[in-house]
Amino acid sequence: MPTLENTADAAPSIADAPTGTSEHLVAAGAFSETERNAVYRAIETRRDVRDQFRPDPLPDALIRRLLEAAHSAPSVGFMQPWNFVLIREAKTRERVWQAFHQANEEACAMFEGDRRAQYQRLKLEGIRKAPLSICITCDTKRGGPVVLGRTHNPDTDVYSTVCAVQNLWLAARAEGVGVGWVSIFHEDAIKAILGIPEHVKIVAWLCVGYIDELYDMPELAVKGWRNRLPLDKLVFEEGWQDCEDM
Ligand SMILES: Cc1cc2nc3c(=O)[nH]c(=O)nc-3n(C[C@H](O)[C@H](O)[C@H](O)COP(=O)(O)O)c2cc1C
């Protein structure tokens, strides 16, 4: 018999709403310098990893920490629209790689001349090499038809899910684990492989595994595809400003 706490529809009634919540307010000072440095280090050295994965499996406790980090993400109306589908089977990853491969050929054809040749040389996934894939999805129906904060922008469920992806990505960096985000596939092809229902969107396919080294700057910059834009050109004061096409 499920308890009230663990039933899916255990939303508190208005009568249950607490009158005093101040005992939940805790100190919010800055972190120590060492802690701050660690946070910024994870942010600045996080990389999209495509090829440096080791084959050894990740311990369950570590995977759990990554998922807890993802599940701590902000979400519109506390909707928590994410699910995490863990895929370790090589056979399934091979089918997903085939879907990637087909879409990647289509993508390649969208570029012209030298750019196409350059695209062909890039490795844009680690689906078969990384021992674990995590498909992170967004359930557009979670929390019912009217979700606080999502009333005027339905895309906020996907924004929330992306926050979960980024949390996992940063936690993985701190754990010495590489993550590579693959988005080059037809969503329906992956949904069919994993049996994902229609109202659930695929937000990210993540290739995950231990790494011993990683690039010190985005691989696409290392390989001459595109450089980081100067931050100062992206910051406007008090309103939109003219900027050349970047
Ligand atoms: C939404 C999203 C989709 C992405 N899809 C791919 C992809 O299909 N293949 C790939 O190689 N990298 C993909 N990336 C990684 C980006 O190319 C990478 O983040 C960017 O080049 C900057 O490099 P960095 O993450 O190492 O800093 C994706 C990143 C995001 C945020």
Side-chain angles (χ1 to χ4, degrees), residues 46-50 100 123-125 162 169 180-184 203 217-221 228:
R46 178 213 52 79
R47 286 278 78 81
D48 189 84
V49 176
R50 289 114 181 162
F100 158 82
K123 185 175 192 305
L124 296 174
E125 53 72 42
V162 173
W169 213 340
W181 186 328
V182 187
S183 54
I184 305 165
V203 172
M217 59 197 281
E219 192 176 338
L220 292 189
R228 192 180 295 287

Side-chain angles (χ1 to χ4, degrees), residues 16-245:
D16 296 333
T19 48
T21 53
S22 57
E23 70 270 24
H24 288 287
L25 283 172
V26 296
F31 290 3
S32 71
E33 195 181 347
T34 311
E35 291 168 332
R36 276 201 308 275
N37 288 343
V39 171
Y40 287 119
R41 182 171 172 223
I43 292 168
E44 285 159 14
T45 67
R46 178 213 52 79
R47 286 278 78 81
D48 189 84
V49 176
R50 289 114 181 162
D51 197 42
Q52 288 75 34
F53 297 107
R54 282 178 7 210
D56 39 321
L58 300 171
D60 287 344
L62 190 159
I63 296 171
R64 181 73 191 185
R65 288 197 294 278
L66 300 184
L67 296 174
E68 295 278 4
H71 189 46
S72 302
S75 60
V76 67
F78 205 23
M79 183 187 179
Q80 305 158 77
W82 42 72
N83 282 90
F84 309 98
V85 186
L86 308 184
I87 302 107
R88 298 182 180 87
E89 287 280 346
K91 243 181 359 194
T92 313
R93 288 188 285 113
E94 178 61 33
R95 289 177 70 195
V96 171
W97 185 84
Q98 293 294 345
F100 158 82
H101 181 63
Q102 189 204 324
N104 199 41
E105 302 268 285
E106 295 163 7
C108 189
M110 294 175 199
F111 297 96
E112 314 252 330
D114 288 353
R115 207 62 171 155
R116 184 180 299 174
Q118 197 184 6
Y119 183 91
Q120 262 164 343
R121 288 194 295 272
L122 296 172
K123 185 175 192 305
L124 296 174
E125 53 72 42
I127 301 166
R128 296 185 293 190
K129 197 162 182 196
L132 172 69
S133 282
I134 306 179
C135 181
I136 304 190
T137 57
C138 173
D139 185 341
T140 58
K141 292 194 175 161
R142 192 158 301 158
V146 185
V147 170
L148 182 157
R150 187 172 166 244
T151 47
H152 293 72
N153 185 350
D155 295 341
T156 47
D157 57 1
V158 170
Y159 302 166
S160 305
T161 309
V162 173
C163 292
V165 175
Q166 179 74 343
N167 270 12
L168 185 151
W169 213 340
L170 292 172
R173 175 65 195 93
E175 298 272 9
V177 169
V179 172
W181 186 328
V182 187
S183 54
I184 305 165
F185 44 65
H186 293 281
E187 187 182 11
D188 284 346
I190 309 301
K191 281 179 143 189
I193 294 169
L194 300 185
I196 295 174
E198 203 180 316
H199 68 279
V200 174
K201 293 181 184 163
I202 294 180
V203 172
W205 184 280
L206 301 180
C207 307
V208 185
Y210 280 122
I211 47 171
D212 292 322
E213 49 184 17
L214 84 178
Y215 285 102
D216 64 358
M217 59 197 281
E219 192 176 338
L220 292 189
V222 173
K223 302 207 166 149
W225 184 262
R226 189 165 164 82
N227 291 323
R228 192 180 295 287
L229 301 170
L231 174 60
D232 288 340
K233 292 208 165 161
L234 305 174
V235 180
F236 300 154
E237 298 280 351
E238 312 298 345
W240 190 257
Q241 288 165 15
D242 280 341
C243 57
E244 70 252 39
D245 188 22

